[in-house]
Amino acid sequence: MNNRRLEYNPLFESITDSARRYETISEQTTVDKTKYAVEYARRIIETCYSQYLYFLNSVPDETKKNELIAELDKFLADQAKQPMIDFKTFFDAMISNIENIITQISSIQSIRNLENFSKLQEIFKKVEQGKDELKDVTFVEYTKQYATEYTSDDVKKAVGTFVKFSSEALIQSLAKKV
Amino acid sequence: MTNFSRKFTSLLESMKSSNFIMEDDADGTKKERSGLFGDRTSTGKSQSRSDRKEQRLEDRFDKKGDDKFLVRAYIKAVELLKDQVLATRIDIFNTIKNKLAGAKYGDPILRSADTLLALMINLKINAEKLAKEEGSRLEPIKNAEDIKTYKSLYAENEKEYEELKKKWNEAKLKEQNEQPVLAANQKIEKSLNIAKKYFTEAQTEFGANFAQFVQKKGEEKKEEVKKDDSSTATGLTTTLKERDDVYTGTDGDLVKEVKKLIYNKFRKYATLKNSSDWKAVYKNWPTVTGSLRTNTANVIKAVKKGSATDYPDLASDKTGDITPKFLEILRGIKEGLSYNTSKIVSFESFMKNRISEAFDEEAAGTVLSKASTKKSKSSSSSSSGKSSVPSEPATPFKTKEDGNKFREWVNKKYPDWAKENNLDASGSENNTYIRKAYAQYGQEYNKATSTPEVKKMDGKQMNNLLAKIKEYSKKVELQLTTGSGEPVILFYTGKVYGHIYNNYMVSYVNTEGGKKVWWGTYNSEKEFVSFGSGKHFNLKSVVLCSITEGLTMTKEESEKAAKADELLAKMSDMIVAKFGDTSFWKPFKGTFNDDEDAAVAAFSKWYGSKIEDAYYNPAINRIKQLPTSKAKENLMKNVSNTSDRFQFDKLINKLYGSTSNDTYKWTIYKSNGTSKSYNVDTDF
């Protein structure tokens, strides 16, 4: 490199430095995917949960409503005992809860006696469609895209945090009733 | 490769198998040699054109069996390698330019390619020089050192090129891999939205057809049983509205509870305590009644208004009703599930659930004043951000510390007055209490503490200022403070208003989404207003109420914006200085004409080590971290959407002399909307 004929000293060091910047590329990809996996897991379960709450609050029969709230309370409390919750387990449970709440509301006699009960059935069809979209498309796409990540500790932890927080909020809400 | 010109494609074709030779290894077996002597493209295809090229290149510089080092063949090989590097460089450049896969990670590789290109050119030039001096064939013994060096340099450069290509391919692949991630996210996103759409439609229809089962928000259903979370939480099943007869039973108890809670939590606020409404409600304290008439309703309205900053839920509630939400907040109990919105409360709002210590007395006073005296000014629109007339001028204190010193002084010297007027020893430097105290004792304090007398505008100056402001905005009024009758200029637009006091203090208030107040000082000479954190805005912008965004940024965010300004300016200054540094460019001048390639390489290295990571990247990172704001919008012009922003590649192209004009100009856009242009003559 120090040849008398080569007055200009090449700059290999600079090239090496540049090359080093690419060493973190694969690492960043993993981080990004996990980030997305956590974010979508949270959004999916939040969508399920908020839908469930809406209809739970719309149960006109106070006794039935209290029964359902107690079920939700127990469900959340049981789940919250675990610091990390499997996304699929929780998602399936929430889908099942949505199905259950629709069935419960539809089975209330005072509602069945309503003149526009058929309208309610139409509305619940839409809920079913939404639920099916979540179950058959959103969930499928999500688990396909994040096949590894959705079972990761990050996602489990995020679901655990969501459940813990929801459980605490529900407990407080119930406590305020007294 | 798709971006290669025909010439480069042809050149690359010519490289195929051209260096593919076999040589005897130490063990006597035939073995393929790599590097300079290997097959770069590894295609192994036999093509007539390539074959012809191969024939022509048979006189390679160290052809087997030849005892001479053929410099011309060496130069040819170097040139071909250089063309390959150049072709890759063009590929990278076009990829970045066309934002194809790899563009995201292309910049540093492009610079590496530039550097390598410069090295190859330099090597070729030196080989040509060697050919001139020593002839086209070097004697292996006599020129052993030279031959070794040149061979080694070629091999190293070729190795660097292979690594560069590998990195470039990895970068392209990396971005290609990322794109499916985003595409897949779009599928999830779309599906999630479809599901939400179904749910929303279902909820809307359910609400429309089965309203009796759905909880209503706030006041929508008058006197209707409310079954939201607040009602279950507070035990309040109805919204208690103002009425002439007294509430009894549970509702009566709740009214009494509200009155007691208000008394206990808000009696410290003089604006409330001194109002006629308050006095009427609490005339028999500690005994309160279950009545919810005009006075009680006005007190409730004032409490809601004053607490709206911390409790946005109350901001929209202009009534004097006792709603479950209001009772919940008043009790200071924590939020639970908000069943009305089917949302889990955010952690932030969860934690924020406490009785406000930042009660906005001025806002509360406005409600009480309007409510009890019924003398709201006709010129003041209740829907606008216009405020009531201030009772006292603003204090001249610019910091809380200065204000606290004065507070302490008053508390020490006039403890009775301080106690009677609720002036704490510490607090805001410009609220109603300290203003009142300053109006009373300000002059004495200034004398006692040898503080220079506060400069004030006289009537004529105020009129001149008013006239000037009126040129900018019609929404301006000259008022007199209600307490001491000092002139003050009010300016307002929509939900924003402010005052310019005769002591040059300026208040700027935004009531949208909760009241926020900023204090500044008017500089009459330069016609701007200086706010905290070194923010300056010209008078026109202030009175047109267009500076909210600039003020909204946190100190940290403002510092980030300012730092980005500073880094970009410093970077530009350094680049200008570098081009003015003749000693830096001297080695690249003259000997073999101007050596642009070597200059580019040297400049690239300097830029990479001194500018990019020290100034440019930190500035860009800061800009990207800023919240959406005018400052960010201004600074982002340094990143995209402006053709005259600083672009390293364009500067390098100029340095290569690839355009007719050698001057490279760029503009640095600053956070405050101003800009500064720079230029360098790249013809060193």
Side-chain angles (χ1 to χ4, degrees):
Chain A
M1 301 290 281
N2 295 320
N3 188 281
R4 62 185 168 84
R5 300 184 190 283
L6 294 175
E7 292 158 5
Y8 173 62
N9 188 2
L11 306 163
F12 291 111
E13 192 181 302
S14 171
I15 297 169
T16 313
D17 284 346
S18 299
R20 279 200 197 107
R21 297 179 193 199
Y22 294 89
E23 312 241 328
T24 55
I25 284 175
S26 57
E27 191 185 331
Q28 283 170 0
T29 311
T30 312
V31 171
D32 285 346
K33 271 198 103 174
T34 307
K35 189 185 79 183
Y36 283 124
V38 168
E39 174 65 13
Y40 280 111
R42 189 189 59 72
R43 285 174 59 187
I44 291 168
I45 58 174
E46 199 167 84
T47 305
C48 294
Y49 190 68
S50 64
Q51 187 59 204
Y52 178 74
L53 282 181
Y54 179 85
F55 287 105
L56 176 64
N57 283 300
S58 304
V59 175
D61 182 328
E62 280 298 314
T63 313
K64 178 67 76 183
K65 186 174 177 177
N66 286 338
E67 273 175 25
L68 291 167
I69 288 174
E71 276 176 26
L72 176 66
D73 184 29
K74 187 172 182 308
F75 167 72
L76 290 175
D78 286 347
Q79 295 281 335
K81 283 174 190 165
Q82 314 161 54
M84 295 198 282
I85 299 168
D86 181 61
F87 170 76
K88 186 177 183 308
T89 309
F90 189 75
F91 176 79
D92 287 344
M94 282 316 303
I95 291 289
S96 167
N97 281 342
I98 292 174
E99 287 166 351
N100 183 42
I101 197 91
I102 291 170
T103 312
Q104 295 284 355
I105 294 176
S106 303
S107 67
I108 294 170
Q109 198 55 46
S110 57
I111 285 186
R112 296 186 73 84
N113 293 338
L114 289 169
E115 279 181 15
N116 54 352
F117 179 66
S118 58
K119 180 67 189 171
L120 186 67
Q121 287 176 312
E122 276 176 37
I123 291 168
F124 282 163
K125 264 186 191 169
K126 286 197 173 170
V127 179
E128 289 275 351
Q129 283 174 302
K131 180 210 72 184
D132 289 343
E133 179 71 24
L134 275 180
K135 191 176 160 186
D136 302 334
V137 186
T138 318
F139 179 79
V140 172
E141 285 293 339
Y142 171 74
T143 48
K144 192 170 83 182
Q145 169 64 9
Y146 300 105
T148 317
E149 289 81 6
Y150 90 89
T151 54
S152 69
D153 284 354
D154 286 308
V155 172
K156 284 180 180 173
K157 200 174 166 189
V159 179
T161 306
F162 177 87
V163 170
K164 186 170 174 282
F165 182 65
S166 303
S167 177
E168 280 176 10
L170 185 67
I171 289 165
Q172 278 190 18
S173 184
L174 294 173
K176 283 187 282 184
K177 276 184 158 185
V178 179
Chain B
M1 295 293 278
T2 51
N3 295 311
F4 289 2
S5 68
R6 284 176 66 85
K7 185 183 171 189
F8 288 126
T9 311
S10 162
L11 278 166
L12 292 176
E13 283 291 310
S14 74
M15 295 300 295
K16 288 178 182 173
S17 304
S18 61
N19 297 321
F20 193 80
I21 66 164
M22 305 296 281
E23 70 166 358
D24 288 320
D25 206 346
D27 57 5
T29 56
K30 294 276 181 187
K31 202 169 186 179
E32 242 182 72
R33 285 177 65 181
S34 60
L36 170 63
F37 312 99
D39 175 14
R40 273 186 212 106
T41 59
S42 302
T43 60
K45 286 180 186 172
S46 176
Q47 294 172 9
S48 59
R49 193 170 177 178
S50 297
D51 291 345
R52 286 200 299 275
K53 289 268 181 187
E54 206 169 323
Q55 286 298 313
R56 285 200 295 274
L57 284 166
E58 274 185 3
D59 61 341
R60 47 188 310 118
F61 56 88
D62 66 339
K63 196 175 68 175
K64 189 173 178 288
D66 197 334
D67 59 350
K68 306 283 186 190
F69 180 85
L70 303 179
V71 184
R72 291 201 185 284
Y74 180 85
I75 292 168
K76 181 70 180 169
V78 169
E79 196 171 350
L80 287 168
L81 182 58
K82 186 205 80 179
D83 288 339
Q84 280 194 316
V85 176
L86 186 58
T88 305
R89 197 245 178 220
I90 290 168
D91 183 32
I92 301 168
F93 183 82
N94 286 339
T95 302
I96 294 169
K97 189 180 167 189
N98 298 321
K99 296 178 181 170
L100 302 171
K104 193 173 161 186
Y105 308 102
D107 279 338
I109 308 181
L110 182 66
R111 278 195 297 284
S112 295
D114 283 338
T115 308
L116 189 57
L117 193 59
L119 295 175
M120 296 305 301
I121 292 166
N122 196 61
L123 191 60
K124 185 187 157 201
I125 290 167
N126 281 289
E128 283 170 349
K129 188 181 171 189
L130 182 76
K132 271 187 189 174
E133 289 174 359
E134 306 286 343
S136 62
R137 289 170 180 246
L138 297 186
E139 296 295 332
I141 298 169
K142 186 183 164 194
N143 302 102
E145 193 192 336
D146 285 340
I147 293 169
K148 190 181 167 193
T149 305
Y150 276 95
K151 279 185 179 180
S152 135
L153 279 173
Y154 185 95
E156 282 181 44
N157 286 354
E158 189 182 47
K159 191 180 163 198
E160 291 287 352
Y161 174 60
E162 292 299 329
E163 282 177 14
L164 185 135
K165 271 204 304 184
K166 192 180 162 202
K167 294 292 172 193
W168 175 227
N169 287 335
E170 279 175 4
K172 286 200 282 191
L173 198 62
K174 147 95 176 138
E175 198 165 340
Q176 279 165 2
N177 286 337
E178 279 178 352
Q179 283 166 351
V181 173
L182 300 175
N185 283 350
Q186 282 174 3
K187 281 185 190 172
I188 301 170
E189 194 80 42
K190 191 179 168 190
S191 171
L192 199 54
N193 286 337
I194 291 171
K196 281 182 179 174
K197 190 167 167 267
Y198 281 127
F199 291 150
T200 309
E201 282 175 12
Q203 288 186 7
T204 309
E205 287 179 28
F206 188 81
N209 292 282
F210 302 93
Q212 65 271 37
F213 304 137
V214 183
Q215 292 100 38
K216 295 294 174 191
K217 287 182 184 175
E219 309 148 19
E220 283 173 2
K221 292 196 91 185
K222 292 178 183 177
E223 300 295 336
E224 190 170 304
V225 174
K226 293 174 73 66
K227 290 182 179 177
D228 66 7
D229 62 317
S230 303
S231 67
T232 56
T234 56
L236 180 60
T237 53
T238 56
T239 293
L240 302 176
K241 304 182 86 65
E242 181 184 338
R243 68 182 196 194
D244 288 338
D245 56 323
V246 178
Y247 280 98
T248 56
T250 312
D251 289 348
D253 290 342
L254 284 169
V255 174
K256 286 177 190 172
E257 185 193 345
V258 166
K259 286 182 176 179
K260 286 178 181 174
L261 283 168
I262 290 175
Y263 186 88
N264 288 328
K265 292 179 188 289
F266 297 92
R267 70 175 186 275
K268 61 184 173 184
Y269 300 111
T271 313
L272 284 176
K273 202 175 81 174
N274 297 332
S275 70
S276 55
D277 292 319
W278 182 282
K279 285 172 183 167
V281 174
Y282 298 109
K283 63 185 174 191
N284 296 321
W285 180 261
T287 306
V288 288
T289 67
S291 65
L292 178 42
R293 299 195 184 101
T294 310
N295 296 127
T296 308
N298 286 340
V299 169
I300 291 171
K301 281 180 198 171
V303 168
K304 285 177 180 173
K305 183 101 177 170
S307 306
T309 307
D310 267 8
Y311 297 96
D313 285 341
L314 297 180
S316 58
D317 186 356
K318 314 277 187 212
T319 70
D321 302 343
I322 300 173
T323 62
K325 191 78 200 168
F326 175 64
L327 182 53
E328 182 193 355
I329 288 170
L330 203 56
R331 283 174 174 169
I333 55 177
K334 295 209 185 300
E335 282 181 44
L337 290 173
S338 175
Y339 285 174
N340 261 345
T341 55
S342 301
K343 272 186 176 174
I344 305 296
V345 292
S346 69
F347 180 74
E348 210 174 311
S349 97
F350 189 83
M351 296 304 289
K352 200 181 171 189
N353 214 342
R354 55 181 167 67
I355 279 292
S356 169
E357 290 176 357
F359 185 73
D360 187 347
E361 278 198 81
E362 203 169 326
T366 309
V367 174
L368 279 171
S369 155
K370 279 179 188 171
S372 50
T373 62
K374 310 280 184 193
K375 61 171 185 181
S376 60
K377 286 179 69 178
S378 58
S379 61
S380 296
S381 163
S382 60
S383 62
S384 79
K386 284 178 69 177
S387 76
S388 55
V389 182
S391 57
E392 300 293 346
T395 72
F397 303 123
K398 291 185 175 59
T399 65
K400 199 168 180 173
E401 287 71 34
D402 290 344
N404 284 346
K405 280 181 192 168
F406 173 70
R407 282 169 175 272
E408 282 167 19
W409 182 85
V410 175
N411 268 275
K412 200 172 172 184
K413 184 140 192 181
Y414 300 101
D416 293 341
W417 189 95
K419 194 175 177 185
E420 194 180 326
N421 290 280
N422 296 321
L423 182 76
D424 292 336
S426 64
S428 164
E429 75 275 20
N430 230 326
N431 65 11
T432 50
Y433 301 107
I434 194 169
R435 282 199 224 177
K436 191 174 176 183
Y438 193 81
Q440 184 87 4
Y441 300 112
Q443 279 191 339
E444 189 183 337
Y445 172 75
N446 290 339
K447 279 179 192 168
T449 56
S450 305
T451 308
E453 195 63 36
V454 177
K455 218 170 82 177
K456 278 189 178 180
M457 285 182 266
D458 58 24
K460 192 180 172 186
Q461 286 171 313
M462 284 297 276
N463 277 329
N464 288 343
L465 178 60
L466 181 69
K468 189 180 286 174
I469 292 173
K470 279 186 174 173
E471 286 173 18
Y472 303 141
S473 170
K474 287 181 180 174
K475 294 180 177 179
V476 179
E477 283 175 22
L478 182 66
Q479 301 176 332
L480 296 175
T481 57
T482 55
S484 49
E486 300 218 34
V488 57
I489 297 170
L490 166 75
F491 55 89
Y492 59 94
T493 299
K495 301 218 177 258
V496 183
Y497 68 88
H499 289 102
I500 302 177
Y501 296 88
N502 62 346
N503 60 1
Y504 296 91
M505 292 299 288
V506 179
S507 68
Y508 185 88
V509 184
N510 185 0
T511 58
E512 196 168 6
K515 186 179 171 186
K516 282 181 187 165
V517 185
W518 293 270
W519 284 97
T521 314
Y522 169 56
N523 184 324
S524 57
E525 287 173 14
K526 295 181 180 172
E527 279 197 24
F528 64 61
V529 179
S530 308
F531 290 88
S533 311
K535 291 176 178 173
H536 306 294
F537 298 91
N538 63 44
L539 183 65
K540 186 178 178 182
S541 305
V542 175
V543 297
L544 287 172
C545 302
S546 61
I547 63 165
T548 302
E549 199 174 60
L551 289 166
T552 312
M553 285 209 294
T554 64
K555 191 182 171 191
E556 191 189 4
E557 288 159 353
S558 300
E559 282 172 359
K560 264 186 192 167
K563 189 70 184 170
D565 286 340
E566 185 192 327
L567 289 168
L568 290 170
K570 179 81 178 162
M571 172 194 88
S572 300
D573 288 340
M574 285 177 74
I575 292 170
V576 171
K578 184 52 82 179
F579 275 89
D581 178 7
T582 49
S583 63
F584 179 81
W585 303 102
K586 197 177 175 184
F588 317 117
K589 285 179 72 67
T591 313
F592 308 104
N593 298 320
D594 280 355
D595 190 348
E596 281 91 0
D597 301 300
V600 165
F603 181 76
S604 297
K605 186 184 181 188
W606 174 82
Y607 179 85
S609 63
K610 301 287 183 191
I611 300 289
E612 189 175 40
D613 288 339
Y615 295 95
Y616 185 75
N617 285 342
I620 302 303
N621 287 341
R622 282 177 171 84
I623 291 168
K624 287 180 178 173
Q625 285 167 15
L626 290 174
T628 307
S629 58
K630 198 74 188 167
K632 182 172 187 176
E633 193 184 308
N634 293 330
L635 282 166
M636 279 302 283
K637 290 177 188 168
N638 296 299
V639 183
S640 57
N641 299 330
T642 47
S643 58
D644 60 346
R645 70 184 192 277
F646 177 78
Q647 291 177 79
F648 179 73
D649 292 339
K650 283 190 176 177
L651 174 56
I652 290 300
N653 285 342
K654 286 277 184 188
L655 199 51
Y656 267 128
S658 53
T659 57
S660 56
N661 185 349
D662 288 324
T663 302
Y664 179 62
K665 293 179 184 173
W666 72 95
T667 303
I668 295 298
Y669 294 92
K670 295 189 175 180
S671 57
N672 62 6
T674 62
S675 63
K676 187 176 177 184
S677 293
Y678 299 83
N679 67 74
V680 287
D681 183 359
T682 60
D683 183 11
F684 53 87

